[in-house]
Amino acid sequence: MFKFLKEKLKNAISKISESVEKEGTIEEKPIEEIERKEEKGFFAKIKEKFIGKEEIKKIEETEKKGFFEVIKEKIITTKISGEQFEKLFWDLELALMENNVAVEVIEKIKKDLKEELVEKPIKRTKVEYTIQKTLKSSIEDLFLTSNMDLVEEIKNKKEKPYVIAFFGINGSGKTTSIAKIANMLKEKKISCVLAASDTFRAASIEQLQQHADKVGIKVIKHNYGADPAAVAFDAIKHAKAKNIDVVLIDTAGRMHSNVNLLDEMKKIIRVAKPDLKIFVGESITGNDCIEQAKTFNETVGIDGIILAKADVDEKGGAAVSVSYITKKPILFLGTGQKYSDLQVFDSEIIIKNLGLT
């Protein structure tokens, strides 16, 4: 997972740290060499060279640090200027862009690194560690934390059913993700029914039926061309009559630029009044996934995200960016073809796969 981005980040961080260590503003000399020398006037020369005449008196008067400690600190530390940072960040910026990280996210990471690194004394041997630590903290801040436990949310709803609507474009893994959620709920002894509200795409109802048969749950369906909102309504009505806990609504895989189909989706929302609206995006599509999530959020106000095919995503741009852009949490990661391959999202998974732990 995220193989390419991990390798690019590693190389960029190493390159930056090497540049900083080589381009330090103060000449590096072994402190032992200084401590051994006893020539007359040596201390005066050292003070003027490394500190400057105006600071000599201040250093000699201090009781918190001895002279050699001050000299040592100046010799083994360096500072990155604003101009130097701009040049150095380019390698990291290029690595992020090549792996489909959103521009807004790159700007945030740049701002965080600049605040932590520019004109701050950094030990020469700790440059790479400092950059990696700051980058880890910056990326951790990208993820909106969700304290929602879906199973508990369902159980705590007083009036059944709990309604979940799923949105996303064709080929995003939406229908498979719905089947994975249904399987997870069934394993938790929570009953559910599927609503085949994708009456637009050929074979969509059959595809959903196949998944339902494998998982062992019922599908409420109409003919192709029927009103999708009416299908959702009937599924909710059926759930109430049969005391079923959850209704999972599959909607047509709309292109996020199709205004008419997006308006139809709004009607499903008005009729079904879902408790949870989930966008399903294909992690490997990178910036396309991010733009889709952004548009769906603006249209229906999504509550959370499922990233399908995260296990084969070698770039990781969508995973790093989508929550920050939409201000919505990633709820689950699709990690394989089996119905059990659905992982509750944990930001530490991302951090670990980026090699920043």
Side-chain angles (χ1 to χ4, degrees):
M1 191 187 291
F2 314 146
K3 175 183 175 183
F4 290 161
L5 181 54
K6 178 181 179 179
E7 192 62 31
K8 290 283 187 178
L9 288 179
K10 181 182 178 181
N11 292 339
I13 291 171
S14 295
K15 190 172 181 180
I16 292 171
S17 63
E18 287 173 9
S19 298
V20 172
E21 289 171 11
K22 289 178 181 178
E23 298 176 19
T25 56
I26 301 170
E27 182 182 357
E28 186 169 0
K29 291 185 178 180
I31 195 65
E32 293 80 5
E33 180 183 335
I34 296 174
E35 292 172 335
R36 285 198 303 266
K37 290 185 177 293
E38 297 178 355
E39 291 90 339
K40 186 178 179 180
F42 170 73
F43 287 131
K45 292 178 182 178
I46 289 294
K47 290 177 184 178
E48 290 180 12
K49 184 173 182 179
F50 291 102
I51 306 172
K53 294 179 180 180
E54 295 180 1
E55 298 182 27
I56 292 176
K57 186 177 180 181
K58 192 181 296 182
I59 293 173
E60 290 175 338
E61 290 175 351
T62 184
E63 295 178 356
K64 294 182 179 179
K65 289 184 179 179
F67 171 70
F68 280 119
E69 281 71 23
V70 175
I71 290 293
K72 183 188 290 187
E73 184 178 283
K74 283 189 169 286
I75 291 174
I76 66 174
T77 62
T78 186
K79 288 184 180 180
I80 302 174
S81 67
E83 183 179 353
Q84 187 182 16
F85 174 81
E86 292 295 331
K87 293 178 182 178
L88 294 172
F89 185 76
W90 171 245
D91 291 304
L92 186 56
E93 185 172 4
L94 188 61
L96 294 169
M97 286 192 295
E98 286 177 344
N99 287 277
N100 297 326
V101 176
V103 173
E104 297 95 324
V105 171
I106 295 175
E107 288 300 315
K108 179 206 179 297
I109 291 173
K110 183 176 182 179
K111 179 176 178 289
D112 292 344
L113 285 173
K114 193 170 186 178
E115 288 178 355
E116 190 65 28
L117 300 177
V118 172
E119 299 300 341
K120 302 287 180 67
I122 305 171
K123 288 187 177 182
R124 292 177 187 274
T125 58
K126 295 289 186 180
V127 173
E128 185 168 341
Y129 168 77
T130 303
I131 294 171
Q132 184 167 313
K133 181 182 176 183
T134 305
L135 186 58
K136 176 185 177 184
S137 177
S138 182
I139 291 178
E140 283 175 336
D141 289 342
L142 295 172
F143 304 110
L144 185 70
T145 304
S146 173
N147 297 319
M148 185 190 75
D149 183 322
L150 181 57
V151 172
E152 287 302 311
E153 287 275 327
I154 293 169
K155 289 180 177 179
N156 290 335
K157 186 178 181 183
K158 294 180 180 179
E159 186 178 342
K160 295 180 182 181
Y162 189 95
V163 180
I164 307 175
F166 295 82
F167 305 98
I169 69 165
N170 288 330
S172 65
K174 176 171 52 64
T175 306
T176 304
S177 295
I178 293 171
K180 289 180 178 181
I181 293 288
N183 181 70
M184 180 192 74
L185 295 178
K186 185 178 180 181
E187 290 180 345
K188 299 290 184 180
K189 309 300 182 186
I190 295 174
S191 58
C192 62
V193 63
L194 302 184
S197 287
D198 181 357
T199 60
F200 178 76
R201 180 174 61 90
S204 61
I205 298 174
E206 287 81 2
Q207 183 185 15
L208 188 66
Q209 185 67 63
Q210 287 175 1
H211 284 302
D213 291 342
K214 290 177 182 178
V215 176
I217 56 176
K218 185 177 178 60
V219 177
I220 302 300
K221 55 191 176 182
H222 290 187
N223 294 326
Y224 285 105
D227 183 357
V231 180
F233 178 84
D234 284 352
I236 294 170
K237 184 178 179 181
H238 172 82
K240 288 179 177 178
K242 300 294 184 179
N243 200 35
I244 294 172
D245 299 314
V246 180
V247 174
L248 305 177
I249 303 173
D250 183 20
T251 64
R254 296 159 170 79
M255 287 301 295
H256 55 290
S257 57
N258 191 317
V259 177
N260 292 332
L261 289 176
L262 289 174
D263 286 339
E264 184 181 275
M265 183 173 58
K266 292 177 184 178
K267 182 180 178 182
I268 296 174
I269 297 296
R270 289 196 304 270
V271 172
K273 298 180 176 61
D275 299 284
L276 188 65
K277 293 166 286 184
I278 296 179
F279 166 77
V280 180
E282 195 175 25
S283 185
I284 56 176
T285 59
N287 279 313
D288 282 345
C289 176
I290 296 163
E291 284 303 311
Q292 292 159 17
K294 186 177 178 181
T295 303
F296 277 101
N297 186 44
E298 290 169 351
T299 304
V300 298
I302 62 174
D303 301 305
I305 299 160
I306 293 177
L307 285 182
K309 305 179 185 178
D311 56 315
V312 293
D313 181 8
E314 295 187 315
K315 292 191 173 183
V320 170
S321 307
V322 70
S323 183
Y324 181 78
I325 298 299
T326 61
K327 308 303 178 192
K328 304 296 179 182
I330 301 172
L331 302 176
F332 298 96
L333 295 177
T335 56
Q337 297 300 313
K338 296 181 293 187
Y339 292 128
S340 58
D341 292 334
L342 187 70
Q343 189 170 6
V344 175
F345 179 77
D346 181 352
S347 62
E348 284 302 312
I349 297 171
I350 307 297
I351 299 299
K352 181 180 180 180
N353 279 282
L354 292 177
L356 295 175
T357 51

